[in-house]
Amino acid sequence: MPEKIKLNTEFITLGQFLKLADVIQSGGMAKWFLSENDIFINGEQDQRRGRKLRVGDKIHIPGHGEFLITE
């Protein structure tokens, strides 16, 4: 069962999400983390730090878990 991440705005960027989900400790680590790890958003691989995530998006990070963006 995916961990739910509550969103209070229309969208959040992938870089912001990584920090909010406690995958990384600071926003500055996002670029490095994305270059070293595979990230799957709704089943498609995407490494763009600025990728907009919206309610209903499913994020899978092998070794770190699965997440679902909720309202």
Side-chain angles (χ1 to χ4, degrees):
M1 184 163 175
E3 180 179 339
K4 295 181 179 176
I5 302 295
K6 190 173 175 123
L7 198 59
N8 296 323
T9 58
E10 181 183 348
F11 65 87
I12 188 171
T13 66
L14 181 55
Q16 293 169 328
F17 163 80
L18 292 172
K19 186 169 186 293
L20 183 65
D22 289 328
V23 175
I24 58 175
Q25 296 168 354
S26 71
M29 294 177 67
K31 187 175 182 179
W32 168 82
F33 185 87
L34 291 169
S35 71
E36 298 290 320
N37 295 276
D38 290 330
I39 310 249
F40 297 91
I41 301 168
N42 300 326
E44 296 180 12
Q45 186 173 357
D46 198 337
Q47 308 302 118
R48 295 176 294 154
R49 186 175 61 203
R51 163 79 185 253
K52 292 178 181 174
L53 303 175
R54 301 177 192 280
V55 172
D57 283 344
K58 295 176 185 174
I59 299 92
H60 174 66
I61 308 170
H64 294 276
E66 293 191 14
F67 305 88
L68 175 65
I69 305 293
T70 64
E71 286 189 88

